[in-house]
Amino acid sequence: MNDNDQVLDDYDPSDRSTGGAHAVAGGATGLPVRGLAMVLIAIAILFGLWGLYSLTQGSPNATPDNTAAAGSASTSVSPAPAGDAASATKPSADASATSTSGKPDADGKDAEGSTNAPAPAAQPAPAASGPTEINILNNSTVSGLAEQTHQHFYASGKKVGQHGNLPEQAAKLQRNTVFYQPGDAAGEQAARDLVAELKNTYGVDAVAEPNIDQLPGDFRGNGEITLALIGALNF
């Protein structure tokens, strides 16, 4: 018997099948190990990427924490008390003292040394005398001349007074005359103005003279003049 025969004799088919099964089993267990390793590597890569993302984006809780910090910072400043705000705008005692420099002291002088003399009382303005009143007398033979002239002057806006007659027995005038009270400067000026108006507006001549005694007493006085007519006016 040679060596080959010894090998053949030692060969057991059952051993071959068993050895083959062990070989197959060993080959079957090798594949899951490699897959598990690949899964672990993939998980490690994912964790690495997640850590990198966390580093670049910051912690997820950063925003609420920062918001809370901002809220606490905004509410940490409390408004100043009302009394302090009022005192900030209230002038100091020194400023109040300087603002009352115009008040007189015991010597009758103000803080700047000037005498605080009382202001003179306001005098009432003199009352306006107004236009001079015009009385009208008829010294002609024309009936109703004084009344007609009075109505015409009144309608034209003049300030008219009384009207009546100056009989020829009392005085015989040669010209239309406007009488004024002596010493009444305003009355004299009004008499001269009326003379000019009689000439320019009505085309009649007239003169201005001081009052005469023949005029009725209530036709003479300051603030009034009297027109004595010897003929009708052209109106």
Side-chain angles (χ1 to χ4, degrees):
M1 181 184 296
N2 56 23
D3 292 338
N4 292 332
D5 293 337
Q6 184 63 32
V7 170
L8 292 173
D9 292 337
D10 295 335
Y11 173 72
D12 188 353
S14 62
D15 294 335
R16 184 179 61 182
S17 60
T18 304
H22 287 299
V24 172
T29 57
L31 287 176
V33 171
R34 287 195 298 270
L36 180 61
M38 293 180 66
V39 170
L40 293 176
I41 293 172
I43 292 174
I45 293 174
L46 290 176
F47 273 107
L49 293 176
W50 177 255
L52 181 62
Y53 174 79
S54 299
L55 290 176
T56 57
Q57 298 297 325
S59 177
N61 296 328
T63 301
D65 293 341
N66 293 338
T67 304
S72 61
S74 63
T75 57
S76 63
V77 179
S78 60
D84 295 341
S87 62
T89 58
K90 183 178 180 180
S92 62
D94 295 338
S96 301
T98 57
S99 65
T100 58
S101 60
K103 183 177 181 180
D105 55 14
D107 296 332
K109 296 183 179 181
D110 58 18
E112 297 177 355
S114 59
T115 303
N116 188 16
Q123 300 295 331
S129 59
T132 302
E133 191 175 72
I134 303 175
N135 301 318
I136 302 171
L137 289 175
N138 182 6
N139 191 234
S140 72
T141 58
V142 180
S143 177
L145 178 60
E147 183 178 359
Q148 294 174 8
T149 306
H150 180 276
Q151 292 177 356
H152 176 74
F153 279 3
Y154 177 80
S156 64
K158 289 182 173 56
K159 183 179 180 180
V160 293
Q162 306 178 72
H163 64 277
N165 293 320
L166 178 62
E168 293 183 359
Q169 296 82 357
K172 178 62 176 176
L173 302 177
Q174 302 299 318
R175 304 174 68 181
N176 296 307
T177 306
V178 182
F179 293 100
Y180 60 88
Q181 181 69 12
D184 182 6
E188 181 177 357
Q189 184 60 48
R192 298 188 185 282
D193 292 342
L194 182 56
V195 167
E197 182 179 356
L198 291 173
K199 181 177 181 180
N200 297 330
T201 304
Y202 303 101
V204 297
D205 292 330
V207 294
E209 299 289 346
N211 286 334
I212 58 177
D213 294 339
Q214 288 83 356
L215 297 177
D218 53 354
F219 277 62
R220 292 175 289 175
N222 294 331
E224 58 182 342
I225 58 178
T226 300
L227 170 60
L229 295 170
I230 63 171
L233 302 178
N234 298 320
F235 51 78

